[in-house]
Amino acid sequence: MEKKHRSHSAVMMAHYFSFTWRSCLFITLLVLWIANMVRGGETIVFRFEQHRGLMAVLWLLFTIEMLLRFFPSRFRSPGCQKQFAKNYIKTGKTEIIIADNHGTVLALLIWIVFNLIFGGLHMLGVLNDDFMLLLCSAYSVCDMICILFFCPFQTWIFKNRCCVTCRIYNWDFAMIFTPLFFVVDKYTWSLLAMSIALLIRWEITFYLHPERFSENTNAYLTCANCTEKLCRHKRQLSGLWKRIDAFTKERIAKLR
């Protein structure tokens, strides 16, 4: 019973809640976008303007998630909670080691170039506001996929141990809401502004207190003190994919 409880922590359940409602939102927007492309009619932006209450609910959900990042919370990942003095547990070591710090510039450049392409197409009139909202929703789902299942930043750029030690953990909302820069509305721009404030707060804390972000100096980041336990989940998925790959190769060999 204890093992089961540890495998389904409050933090993990919060992740799955976010993944579920974000996925539902993306699927809904995708269906509406395709329907509008095929048959015409009301756009996503028009539907939101007609149902401002729905827009307010979505705005509130994202706002609550971001506000929880500004303060210590046991329902948030240790990856974003390491910035707080409360979670700084001295190891007795003084050397600050952040192996993935150099990857931040590369990640930033990739993200800027990637979104400049979409932003440029939007300014040229090739893409409309509906697509930018859909893109934003897709980013929000990809964010949860990175946390729960597979993270390309971790695997290909940073090569860090897990999300707990991630150098850019609190960049996620700024990345998610980047497309909203091109959608002029008080709701969209307020989400973007809040996400940028969260990123700035994170970076200022990093440069003022880098010792909180290093596993060598902060014991809070060690596996022994982890409250998330997502590594077990990811290891199970990795093992499943390896078994599927082995089974596929075996079947192909038999067919040959």
Side-chain angles (χ1 to χ4, degrees):
M1 182 64 69
E2 180 182 356
K3 182 178 180 181
K4 183 178 180 181
H5 174 73
R6 291 180 62 191
S7 299
H8 298 82
S9 64
V11 177
M12 182 183 290
M13 297 308 294
H15 286 325
Y16 272 106
F17 173 75
S18 295
F19 177 65
T20 300
W21 78 262
R22 290 185 189 186
S23 298
C24 290
L25 174 62
F26 172 70
I27 293 171
T28 301
L29 293 181
L30 180 61
V31 170
L32 293 175
W33 183 73
I34 293 175
N36 178 256
M37 293 292 290
V38 174
R39 299 182 313 199
E42 296 180 347
T43 64
I44 296 175
V45 173
F46 179 80
R47 291 173 185 270
F48 275 136
E49 289 176 347
Q50 296 298 308
H51 301 86
R52 302 300 282 182
L54 175 60
M55 187 65 180
V57 170
L58 294 175
W59 179 88
L60 185 61
L61 284 172
F62 278 119
T63 298
I64 290 174
E65 286 198 25
M66 282 191 283
L67 286 177
L68 287 174
R69 297 281 187 89
F70 282 99
F71 308 98
S73 171
R74 64 187 182 90
F75 296 108
R76 297 292 92 186
S77 168
C80 66
Q81 292 291 299
K82 58 176 174 269
Q83 61 179 313
F84 301 110
K86 174 185 177 182
N87 296 324
Y88 177 48
I89 305 173
K90 294 182 179 181
T91 62
K93 302 176 182 178
T94 57
E95 184 182 5
I96 299 172
I97 301 174
I98 303 177
D100 58 0
N101 194 37
H102 299 292
T104 57
V105 177
L106 177 59
L108 179 61
L109 289 176
I110 291 174
W111 193 253
I112 289 175
V113 172
F114 188 74
N115 284 279
L116 278 177
I117 295 174
F118 290 111
L121 291 174
H122 180 273
M123 289 187 288
L124 290 173
V126 178
L127 302 176
N128 59 12
D129 287 353
D130 279 12
F131 183 86
M132 303 309 281
L133 289 174
L134 181 64
L135 182 62
C136 176
S137 180
Y139 284 166
S140 72
V141 175
C142 289
D143 175 52
M144 298 314 303
I145 290 175
C146 286
I147 293 175
L148 292 170
F149 307 113
F150 172 78
C151 178
F153 291 101
Q154 175 188 356
T155 304
W156 298 326
I157 298 179
F158 298 121
K159 304 185 186 300
N160 52 305
R161 175 170 53 81
C162 66
C163 293
V164 174
T165 60
C166 180
R167 166 66 179 83
I168 63 169
Y169 196 104
N170 262 20
W171 287 24
D172 57 345
F173 281 108
M175 288 180 162
I176 290 171
F177 297 133
T178 300
L180 296 186
F181 175 80
F182 303 96
V183 183
V184 182
D185 185 273
K186 65 179 181 180
Y187 283 114
T188 57
W189 277 21
S190 61
L191 287 175
L192 179 60
M194 195 178 305
S195 68
I196 293 175
L198 187 64
L199 184 151
I200 293 174
R201 160 74 180 276
W202 175 267
E203 289 301 307
I204 290 176
T205 305
F206 174 79
Y207 286 105
L208 291 178
H209 303 284
E211 69 279 359
R212 300 178 188 175
F213 294 75
S214 173
E215 184 179 352
N216 196 52
T217 53
N218 187 4
Y220 177 75
L221 305 182
T222 61
C223 294
N225 290 317
C226 181
T227 59
E228 201 165 27
K229 307 302 179 185
L230 278 177
C231 57
R232 297 178 181 177
H233 179 60
K234 286 186 174 181
R235 278 199 298 265
Q236 290 173 348
L237 288 174
S238 178
L240 175 62
W241 283 117
K242 288 180 180 179
R243 289 194 295 272
I244 292 175
D245 183 58
F247 175 78
T248 303
K249 289 180 179 179
E250 181 181 349
R251 297 296 298 175
I252 292 175
K254 288 183 178 179
L255 290 174
R256 289 177 178 175

